[in-house]
Amino acid sequence: MGRDLTALFDPVSVAVVGASDDPAKYGHTIAAQALRADGGRRPVHLVNRRGGTVLGRTAAPSLSALGEPVGLAVLSVPVAGFEETVDEALRCGARAIVAITAGFAETGEAGRARQLAVTERVRAAGAVMVGPNCLGIADNTTGLHLASDTFASGRVALLSQSGNLALELQLRFEPHCLGFSRFVSLGNQADITLVDLLADCARHDGTEAIAVYAEDFGDGRAFAEAAADAGKPVVLLSAGRGAASARSAQSHTGALTTSADVVAAACRDAGVELVATPRELTVALAALKGGRRAGGRRVAVLTDGGGHGVIAADVAEAAGLTVPELREPAQRMLRDVLWEQSAVVNPVDLAGMGEQDPGSYAATVATLLAAEEVDAVLLTGYFGGYAAAEGGLGGGGSALAAGEQEAARLIAARRTDSAKPLVVQSMYPGSPSCRTLEAAGIPVFDATEDAARALAVTVPRPRRVGVTPLPRPAPPLPGTGYLDTRRALEAAGLPFPAAREIHNETQLLAATEEFTGPYVLKALHLLHKSDAGGVALGLAGPGELLAAFRDMHARLGAPSYSVEEMADLSDGVELIVGVNRDPRFGPVAMVGLGGVLAEALHDVAFTLAPAPADRALHLLRGLRTASLLDGVRGRPPVDVAAAAHAVETITAFAAAHPEIAELEVNPLLVTPRGVLALDSRAVPA
């Protein structure tokens, strides 16, 4: 069910502590916004330690002096008096606190300790707190305005670690008829977290979509789980997704896994739309408004000018869409409504007819939306220009403008007859015709790439897999050396070739009597054995094995070695399977093309671990080199199902052992007969 945040978003009363007449102080801004919304729904009190008047209202010198309980207290006070003010607010019955004051966990360990102590007192009192170090909240559905600005009303909840970003989004949303149901500045998330807010917005009737800007997810895995369960679109603008996390990695898996990979994997698993800029976030929300989804990736491009059509087709394909040739029934219907020189194959080009009859746009859109081979329509180019100013193109003036506006009304009306998405790119996105389309829920953009990106957001995604729960922790391994890890993985069901640990020549020769060659010799206690010259392959018999041992021992002096049966590599594919434990998202699985060139090839895919076999199979099939699994140049197909089950075994094992920071099986040999793990390594946490 999640935490009850009613006291935060719909309090019985509000008190602004630190209210001020000084415009340079944040308490002035918050107080002004709170009073603006004081329409009788709830009392709003101003508190200033000097008393007197603030913004023309009587100000109490303290919360206690109000003489009545407080529902929500906004604290914009110096850090030195913050804790005392929190205690007073709780004594006065506050059920929610919005802590503007900074100077806590963001300043270091001492500040973190003070923040924790305050949080414990808030929770013990049964209250909730946003912040500290936040910029306020707003809820347009309850008339609550406790932030630095007024946010246009709408259906998007914004949960953000940046106040200025909210102001930018306000500007970007307006042309697309988008607005806010709620805004929350996350601050330090000492008590109420991003996950708490996401779950509450998912239950909020006034919210249709949830936008998140996050630099620190806190518990990233819980965020992914909450997003997967939201039942509403979640769009994430994430910062700080660079490669710094790989700098100290000690395995191929760690070196190949960046923060960006982890966030992208979590979003893919949870069904979150991941974007990189405020512009992309706006595009995604405009596309998702109203809940329209395409049935596939097939797009019909409509233009009245060949250049725009060709460019739009290229950009659509670059966005992962297809622009298929229309079938004969659709072409025949288009010929009936267009003139002879119009192109009706796809892209569809009116070829100047729009200048003579703007209504041809509406007729063509209706025909394309009705075509079975079309999943979505992209209208691109000049539409909107005729009504942009009197005396539009061709000298038609008001007649053309009126005709175009009527076409816009017809397009808006006919769109309701189809569930397919329609997106518009116009040279004149602010024209009356385009505003008519926007008001009807048809997104209009000035950039072709934005229109294509918007359509790409609406296409079917791979089945939302959700986040597989972490298994119960298993007893810690006795050690994380090669043989310890190998034995544990074998016990979990992962097959390895026969192997024996040896320390001297006598034990080495004894091993050759247990299984036949060819052999592999590995020097143990080396993390990257191949790079150090600690692996010898294809040793035909005892003589070659003994010679390799003497050479390797002279060079490396390892305390022990492993003699192993050499696998037949002739008809197999080498994969890498690894798990890297991320501090925010927990264990993250990686699968890809393996062997000694794994880092150079970088053909890998990620998911939150553990990865069930069906998810592993999807990842394997999505690799750039997936065709190798099905056999190429006369090689037989390999057992991909066995590989997927091996991925499940490895990732479940790693997820159950929190004492392991990085686990890797490389290579995992997949043949037509099954799988064989040829090497493994573990790095302790």
Side-chain angles (χ1 to χ4, degrees), residues 160-182:
S160 175
Q161 286 187 267
S162 168
N164 283 344
L165 180 67
L167 302 181
E168 177 179 349
L169 290 175
Q170 170 102 308
L171 298 174
R172 290 186 176 276
F173 279 14
E174 191 274 333
H176 300 288
C177 301
L178 290 169
F180 298 87
S181 57
R182 288 173 168 176

Side-chain angles (χ1 to χ4, degrees), residues 237-262:
L237 171 56
S238 177
R241 295 186 287 129
S245 62
R247 289 176 185 159
S248 61
Q250 299 182 58
S251 67
H252 291 299
T253 298
L256 286 166
T257 307
T258 69
S259 295
D261 296 322
V262 175

